[in-house]
Amino acid sequence: MGATKTDHFTDSQNQIAVIAKALGHPARIAIIEYLLKVNTCITGDIVNELPLAQPTVSQHLKELKNAGLIQGSIEGNSVCYCIDENTFGILKEYFSKIIFTVSNQKCC
């Protein structure tokens, strides 16, 4: 079996691409912003905050969790979600390098 296209890129490039893809939907951005505001919450809280059905919110939470942007811990019958600081640290480092490079170079 042949190599997939992602095999031609570094682990870091693939990781940033997965994270960026997860952030590529406005509902997921809204979920991140809500979690930043409240620190932790359960799915029902997010459903009440967004104009989306519970299954849709759950799918967006799954995508964010799979990308490592949020964490979920089981509390009784609910899952309590919060921001995963490690993944945002990776984004911070990545974009800091870009910002530093761009601010110190002259474009055509």
Side-chain angles (χ1 to χ4, degrees), residues 7-60:
D7 290 340
H8 297 288
F9 302 97
T10 68
D11 289 343
S12 177
Q13 290 167 333
N14 282 304
Q15 182 181 34
I16 294 296
V18 167
I19 295 167
K21 183 177 179 183
L23 289 171
H25 193 288
R28 295 181 198 144
I29 298 297
I31 291 169
I32 294 293
E33 290 174 354
Y34 182 69
L35 287 173
L36 288 168
K37 184 170 56 174
V38 299
N39 195 29
T40 64
C41 68
I42 60 173
T43 306
D45 296 337
I46 299 169
V47 171
N48 292 335
E49 183 72 14
L50 300 177
L52 301 171
Q54 187 276 326
T56 304
V57 170
S58 292
Q59 183 61 38
H60 287 302

Side-chain angles (χ1 to χ4, degrees), residues 12 36 52 61-63 79-81 83 93 99-101:
S12 177
L36 288 168
L52 301 171
L61 289 167
K62 179 182 175 185
E63 293 296 325
V79 178
C80 182
Y81 290 99
I83 298 293
E93 183 179 326
I99 291 165
F100 177 79
T101 303

Side-chain angles (χ1 to χ4, degrees), residues 57-105:
V57 170
S58 292
Q59 183 61 38
H60 287 302
L61 289 167
K62 179 182 175 185
E63 293 296 325
L64 290 168
K65 190 172 179 189
N66 287 343
L69 290 161
I70 63 172
Q71 303 177 53
S73 60
I74 298 172
E75 292 185 5
N77 292 335
S78 302
V79 178
C80 182
Y81 290 99
C82 64
I83 298 293
D84 187 327
E85 293 177 32
N86 294 328
T87 303
F88 281 92
I90 292 167
L91 285 176
K92 180 181 177 183
E93 183 179 326
Y94 179 75
F95 284 110
S96 292
K97 287 178 185 176
I98 291 173
I99 291 165
F100 177 79
T101 303
V102 168
S103 63
N104 289 310
Q105 67 179 207

